[in-house]
Amino acid sequence: MFDRELKLFALQSSRPYGERVATALGVTLAPHEERAFEDGEHKCRPLVSVRGADVFVVHSLYGEPGTSPNDKLCHLLFFAGALRDASAASVTVVVPYLAYARKDRKTQPRDPVTTRYVAMLFEAVGIDCMMAVDVHNVAAFENAFRCRTKHLEAKDLFATHFAAALAQQTPVVVSPDTGGFKRAERLRATLAERLGRPVGMAFMEKLRALGVVSGQTLAGDVRGATAIIIDDLIASGDTLLRTARACRVAGARHVFAAATHGLFVGAADRMLADDSLDGCVVTDTVPPFRLAAALAARRLTVLPSAPFVAEAIRHVHEQGSLSGLAQTDAGAYNRLEYDAANSR
């Protein structure tokens, strides 16, 4: 019988998300202290004993007003180190959104491979496991870390949502580039299983040179169908918007965008409001605080991921395989409405 105690922490800026994970797990967040000093330095420490416990720390590494991804990364590293020094039996870092995951290879001479450097920092403070949701490149993520990694996919959340929303329509899953083809194929297969009928597949040509994106070819048939453009994240939304317009030109009846992480930087409002899209679906790994509240309420659907992350934590704690995660019914993933009160 496994009797090691589970302790769950959430650093300050991720506390609302951590509380939702704690509720789904049926536990209470463990108390901790975060103290900022006048010179800009800080410290984080647990306020309860973690000796001999399996400790999980929830912290999403997106930037927001007053706090950069670098600030959050540094806080998380120092706290993980403090947990290890306090004799935790294991330390698992749960990062719904992992910063720097996109810079996973050299694209120009002398380029940094930042994903690997971040992995080295976490290993240096002694974490046992890194858990993240839908990183940009799964192989690069798994190869960067020498400790255990647990990669969680949100495809079941999207499949549940679209199976209910598009039950009477003909969906086609579209990748906005060839690099995302496998991600789109996994969603297509899961959605087909939920619907009990075939689901089509398409992908968009995408060429990048000196920061300029080009390519106009859409491979696959979307005529008369509902196109679901799937990606790991939405930044400015330019790639999704280019794909949405191509789908409309190719005869798609409806077009939806879907991505796990909604960063919504730059001119993302323009993408979301464009007539080429019928709507956009993201998860709550990153709150949509950069969007105008009225636009988000009208055009954005946010799916809660905390129950899904909580179940993964439970499996890791009980030394179970994540491949055995049970399917959760659609009722556990009701839409979250983000209004002005939720926006930051």
Side-chain angles (χ1 to χ4, degrees):
M1 179 178 175
F2 191 78
D3 57 1
R4 191 182 289 167
E5 185 180 9
L6 183 155
K7 288 191 181 294
L8 180 69
F9 293 88
L11 296 189
Q12 186 174 339
S13 60
S14 293
R15 188 170 183 87
Y17 189 93
E19 288 175 342
R20 296 196 292 273
V21 173
T23 297
L25 268 174
V27 302
T28 302
L29 285 178
H32 74 286
E33 176 191 26
E34 293 183 46
R35 184 179 174 187
F37 298 102
E38 292 180 352
D39 62 357
E41 295 181 4
H42 59 82
K43 77 170 185 179
C44 302
R45 68 183 180 107
L47 294 177
V48 293
S49 173
V50 296
R51 183 179 297 275
D54 275 345
V55 180
F56 295 81
V57 186
V58 177
H59 199 40
S60 208
L61 300 180
Y62 56 87
E64 57 186 318
T67 309
S68 73
N70 305 325
D71 296 326
K72 291 185 175 183
L73 176 60
C74 197
H75 279 71
L76 182 54
L77 288 167
F78 289 178
F79 189 63
L83 293 167
R84 173 57 69 200
D85 288 347
S87 299
S90 69
V91 177
T92 299
V93 171
V94 182
V95 185
Y97 175 73
L98 177 60
Y100 296 110
R102 284 181 281 178
K103 190 54 184 167
D104 55 28
R105 63 189 177 94
K106 292 179 182 289
T107 55
Q108 299 182 59
R110 297 170 297 281
D111 251 4
V113 186
T114 321
T115 300
R116 179 163 54 85
Y117 309 155
V118 169
M120 293 167 68
L121 289 170
F122 279 110
E123 291 160 7
V125 298
I127 72 163
D128 297 277
C129 181
M130 167 65 74
M131 185 183 297
V133 181
D134 277 332
V135 299
H136 185 65
N137 183 323
V138 180
F141 166 71
E142 293 176 341
N143 288 329
F145 285 84
R146 297 297 176 265
C147 65
R148 287 189 302 149
T149 57
K150 300 293 183 183
H151 181 254
L152 311 181
E153 292 185 86
K155 62 180 175 61
D156 285 341
L157 306 187
F158 291 118
T160 297
H161 170 79
F162 283 113
L166 308 179
Q168 305 305 316
Q169 300 179 36
T170 302
V172 174
V173 177
V174 182
S175 173
D177 52 45
T178 55
F181 188 86
K182 289 183 178 179
R183 179 184 303 107
E185 166 56 24
R186 290 192 293 270
L187 175 60
R188 185 210 62 77
T190 305
L191 183 57
E193 182 180 355
R194 298 289 175 88
L195 290 171
R197 52 189 167 88
V199 172
M201 180 79 177
F203 67 90
M204 184 74 187
E205 177 188 28
K206 181 180 178 181
L207 306 173
R208 187 188 297 274
L210 299 176
V212 177
V213 175
S214 61
Q216 302 297 322
T217 303
L218 178 68
D221 185 10
V222 297
R223 185 173 300 278
T226 296
I228 304 169
I229 306 168
I230 182 69
D231 212 342
D232 60 313
L233 62 84
I234 300 173
S236 66
D238 289 345
T239 296
L240 281 173
L241 185 54
R242 190 173 63 92
T243 307
R245 288 171 175 170
C247 288
R248 289 291 190 184
V249 170
R253 186 174 181 180
H254 301 288
V255 180
F256 292 90
T260 303
H261 313 294
L263 299 180
F264 298 119
V265 299
D269 278 34
R270 176 178 61 87
M271 177 276 301
L272 192 59
D274 194 275
D275 290 340
S276 298
L277 281 173
D278 291 283
C280 181
V281 184
V282 296
T283 77
D284 60 348
T285 57
V286 181
F289 59 89
R290 294 188 180 96
L291 292 174
L295 177 64
R298 189 174 76 253
R299 303 278 285 176
L300 187 68
T301 298
V302 181
L303 305 179
S305 59
F308 157 65
V309 171
E311 188 65 12
I313 290 173
R314 191 190 314 277
H315 274 250
V316 170
H317 172 62
E318 295 173 354
Q319 298 183 333
S321 169
L322 288 184
S323 64
L325 278 174
Q327 298 291 335
T328 306
D329 63 42
Y333 300 113
N334 293 328
R335 171 180 175 159
L336 289 183
E337 299 287 355
Y338 273 81
D339 55 22
N342 298 111
S343 300
R344 290 179 286 172

